[in-house]
Tab-separated table of all heavy atoms in Angstrom:
chain	number	residue	atom	x	y	z
K	146	ASN	N	204.810	100.619	140.397
K	146	ASN	CA	204.605	99.879	141.646
K	146	ASN	C	203.523	100.515	142.525
K	146	ASN	O	202.896	99.842	143.339
K	146	ASN	CB	205.932	99.760	142.407
K	146	ASN	CG	206.928	98.877	141.691
K	146	ASN	OD1	206.518	98.032	140.878
K	146	ASN	ND2	208.209	99.061	141.937
K	147	THR	N	203.347	101.814	142.385
K	147	THR	CA	202.263	102.490	143.139
K	147	THR	C	200.915	101.907	142.680
K	147	THR	O	199.992	101.740	143.462
K	147	THR	CB	202.326	104.018	142.922
K	147	THR	OG1	203.580	104.504	143.391
K	147	THR	CG2	201.192	104.717	143.674
K	148	GLY	N	200.807	101.635	141.405
K	148	GLY	CA	199.609	100.979	140.889
K	148	GLY	C	199.405	99.618	141.548
K	148	GLY	O	198.285	99.285	142.000
K	149	ILE	N	200.469	98.834	141.623
K	149	ILE	CA	200.396	97.523	142.277
K	149	ILE	C	200.008	97.680	143.749
K	149	ILE	O	199.163	96.961	144.267
K	149	ILE	CB	201.762	96.795	142.164
K	149	ILE	CG1	202.074	96.519	140.691
K	149	ILE	CG2	201.746	95.497	142.991
K	149	ILE	CD1	203.441	95.884	140.462
K	150	GLN	N	200.621	98.687	144.392
K	150	GLN	CA	200.343	98.969	145.805
K	150	GLN	C	198.840	99.217	146.022
K	150	GLN	O	198.250	98.749	147.010
K	150	GLN	CB	201.143	100.215	146.196
K	150	GLN	CG	201.047	100.662	147.615
K	150	GLN	CD	201.758	102.028	147.802
K	150	GLN	OE1	201.935	102.788	146.847
K	150	GLN	NE2	202.128	102.328	149.048
K	151	ILE	N	198.237	99.936	145.092
K	151	ILE	CA	196.805	100.242	145.206
K	151	ILE	C	195.970	98.967	145.071
K	151	ILE	O	195.099	98.688	145.885
K	151	ILE	CB	196.386	101.299	144.145
K	151	ILE	CG1	197.040	102.654	144.468
K	151	ILE	CG2	194.866	101.442	144.087
K	151	ILE	CD1	196.902	103.711	143.382
K	152	LEU	N	196.279	98.175	144.051
K	152	LEU	CA	195.496	96.949	143.867
K	152	LEU	C	195.703	95.958	144.993
K	152	LEU	O	194.740	95.307	145.443
K	152	LEU	CB	195.846	96.291	142.527
K	152	LEU	CG	194.811	96.633	141.420
K	152	LEU	CD1	194.952	98.083	140.967
K	152	LEU	CD2	194.869	95.674	140.275
K	153	ASP	N	196.933	95.869	145.495
K	153	ASP	CA	197.198	94.980	146.639
K	153	ASP	C	196.392	95.386	147.853
K	153	ASP	O	195.832	94.546	148.554
K	153	ASP	CB	198.683	95.030	147.003
K	153	ASP	CG	199.541	94.180	146.073
K	153	ASP	OD1	198.952	93.467	145.210
K	153	ASP	OD2	200.786	94.227	146.186
K	154	CYS	N	196.325	96.678	148.087
K	154	CYS	CA	195.575	97.166	149.237
K	154	CYS	C	194.113	96.822	149.114
K	154	CYS	O	193.465	96.389	150.092
K	154	CYS	CB	195.781	98.676	149.383
K	154	CYS	SG	194.878	99.421	150.759
K	155	PHE	N	193.547	96.993	147.921
K	155	PHE	CA	192.141	96.668	147.701
K	155	PHE	C	191.887	95.165	147.865
K	155	PHE	O	190.852	94.760	148.402
K	155	PHE	CB	191.673	97.148	146.328
K	155	PHE	CG	191.039	98.525	146.382
K	155	PHE	CD1	191.769	99.608	146.860
K	155	PHE	CD2	189.709	98.726	146.016
K	155	PHE	CE1	191.179	100.866	146.963
K	155	PHE	CE2	189.122	99.972	146.133
K	155	PHE	CZ	189.859	101.042	146.584
K	156	LYS	N	192.849	94.371	147.386
K	156	LYS	CA	192.701	92.917	147.489
K	156	LYS	C	192.728	92.479	148.932
K	156	LYS	O	191.873	91.716	149.400
K	156	LYS	CB	193.862	92.257	146.718
K	156	LYS	CG	193.696	90.789	146.466
K	156	LYS	CD	194.799	90.279	145.536
K	156	LYS	CE	194.703	88.774	145.355
K	156	LYS	NZ	195.845	88.305	144.522
K	157	GLU	N	193.703	93.017	149.673
K	157	GLU	CA	193.861	92.629	151.093
K	157	GLU	C	192.642	93.009	151.931
K	157	GLU	O	192.225	92.280	152.808
K	157	GLU	CB	195.110	93.310	151.628
K	157	GLU	CG	195.564	92.746	152.967
K	157	GLU	CD	196.811	93.509	153.475
K	157	GLU	OE1	197.731	93.723	152.671
K	157	GLU	OE2	196.795	93.877	154.647
K	158	LYS	N	192.080	94.177	151.630
K	158	LYS	CA	190.948	94.633	152.417
K	158	LYS	C	189.604	94.160	151.847
K	158	LYS	O	188.546	94.449	152.418
K	158	LYS	CB	190.935	96.182	152.470
K	158	LYS	CG	192.071	96.768	153.352
K	158	LYS	CD	192.057	98.283	153.308
K	158	LYS	CE	193.200	98.873	154.097
K	158	LYS	NZ	192.945	98.999	155.549
K	159	GLY	N	189.657	93.465	150.717
K	159	GLY	CA	188.436	92.947	150.122
K	159	GLY	C	187.496	94.035	149.613
K	159	GLY	O	186.266	93.907	149.716
K	160	LEU	N	188.073	95.081	149.048
K	160	LEU	CA	187.242	96.209	148.566
K	160	LEU	C	186.996	96.121	147.081
K	160	LEU	O	187.797	95.561	146.329
K	160	LEU	CB	187.970	97.532	148.873
K	160	LEU	CG	188.272	97.811	150.333
K	160	LEU	CD1	189.109	99.083	150.484
K	160	LEU	CD2	186.971	97.939	151.155
K	161	SER	N	185.869	96.690	146.664
K	161	SER	CA	185.548	96.768	145.237
K	161	SER	C	185.883	98.169	144.740
K	161	SER	O	185.456	99.172	145.322
K	161	SER	CB	184.050	96.519	145.061
K	161	SER	OG	183.569	97.203	143.913
K	162	TYR	N	186.633	98.270	143.644
K	162	TYR	CA	186.975	99.614	143.114
K	162	TYR	C	185.775	100.317	142.528
K	162	TYR	O	185.806	101.543	142.319
K	162	TYR	CB	188.097	99.470	142.056
K	162	TYR	CG	187.632	98.977	140.707
K	162	TYR	CD1	187.112	99.857	139.756
K	162	TYR	CD2	187.693	97.623	140.383
K	162	TYR	CE1	186.689	99.381	138.541
K	162	TYR	CE2	187.278	97.144	139.171
K	162	TYR	CZ	186.751	98.029	138.231
K	162	TYR	OH	186.303	97.566	137.024
K	163	GLU	N	184.699	99.577	142.242
K	163	GLU	CA	183.514	100.245	141.737
K	163	GLU	C	182.705	100.917	142.845
K	163	GLU	O	182.016	101.883	142.626
K	163	GLU	CB	182.669	99.255	140.938
K	163	GLU	CG	183.385	98.813	139.686
K	163	GLU	CD	182.523	97.940	138.783
K	163	GLU	OE1	182.509	96.700	139.002
K	163	GLU	OE2	181.868	98.463	137.894
K	164	GLU	N	182.837	100.383	144.082
K	164	GLU	CA	182.169	101.033	145.205
K	164	GLU	C	183.091	102.065	145.858
K	164	GLU	O	182.711	103.196	146.080
K	164	GLU	CB	181.705	100.003	146.246
K	164	GLU	CG	180.930	100.718	147.364
K	164	GLU	CD	180.944	99.962	148.653
K	164	GLU	OE1	180.783	98.739	148.641
K	164	GLU	OE2	181.126	100.640	149.707
K	165	VAL	N	184.274	101.608	146.210
K	165	VAL	CA	185.248	102.489	146.883
K	165	VAL	C	186.121	103.142	145.812
K	165	VAL	O	187.021	102.498	145.274
K	165	VAL	CB	186.082	101.678	147.895
K	165	VAL	CG1	187.119	102.593	148.560
K	165	VAL	CG2	185.189	101.021	148.901
K	166	GLN	N	185.818	104.398	145.500
K	166	GLN	CA	186.475	105.063	144.365
K	166	GLN	C	187.577	106.011	144.843
K	166	GLN	O	187.802	107.070	144.259
K	166	GLN	CB	185.423	105.797	143.537
K	166	GLN	CG	184.345	104.836	143.007
K	166	GLN	CD	183.307	105.479	142.119
K	166	GLN	OE1	183.231	106.703	142.045
K	166	GLN	NE2	182.491	104.663	141.462
K	167	MET	N	188.275	105.606	145.889
K	167	MET	CA	189.328	106.479	146.470
K	167	MET	C	190.239	105.667	147.358
K	167	MET	O	189.849	104.690	147.964
K	167	MET	CB	188.686	107.628	147.236
K	167	MET	CG	187.678	107.200	148.312
K	167	MET	SD	186.753	108.593	149.045
K	167	MET	CE	185.626	109.085	147.720
K	168	ILE	N	191.490	106.147	147.426
K	168	ILE	CA	192.452	105.548	148.339
K	168	ILE	C	193.468	106.609	148.729
K	168	ILE	O	193.691	107.579	147.997
K	168	ILE	CB	193.202	104.368	147.632
K	168	ILE	CG1	193.979	103.521	148.654
K	168	ILE	CG2	194.143	104.880	146.534
K	168	ILE	CD1	194.571	102.226	148.080
K	169	LEU	N	194.044	106.423	149.909
K	169	LEU	CA	195.169	107.251	150.331
K	169	LEU	C	196.457	106.423	150.221
K	169	LEU	O	196.483	105.284	150.709
K	169	LEU	CB	195.013	107.700	151.784
K	169	LEU	CG	193.770	108.502	152.115
K	169	LEU	CD1	193.617	108.679	153.610
K	169	LEU	CD2	193.807	109.866	151.413
Side-chain angles (χ1 to χ4, degrees):
Chain K
N146 292 336
T147 300
I149 297 176
Q150 182 188 22
I151 292 171
L152 261 73
D153 282 354
C154 179
F155 266 60
K156 193 172 176 184
E157 193 182 313
K158 289 178 184 275
L160 300 175
S161 151
Y162 76 85
E163 293 185 274
E164 183 203 318
V165 178
Q166 301 182 349
M167 53 188 73
I168 193 172
L169 301 170

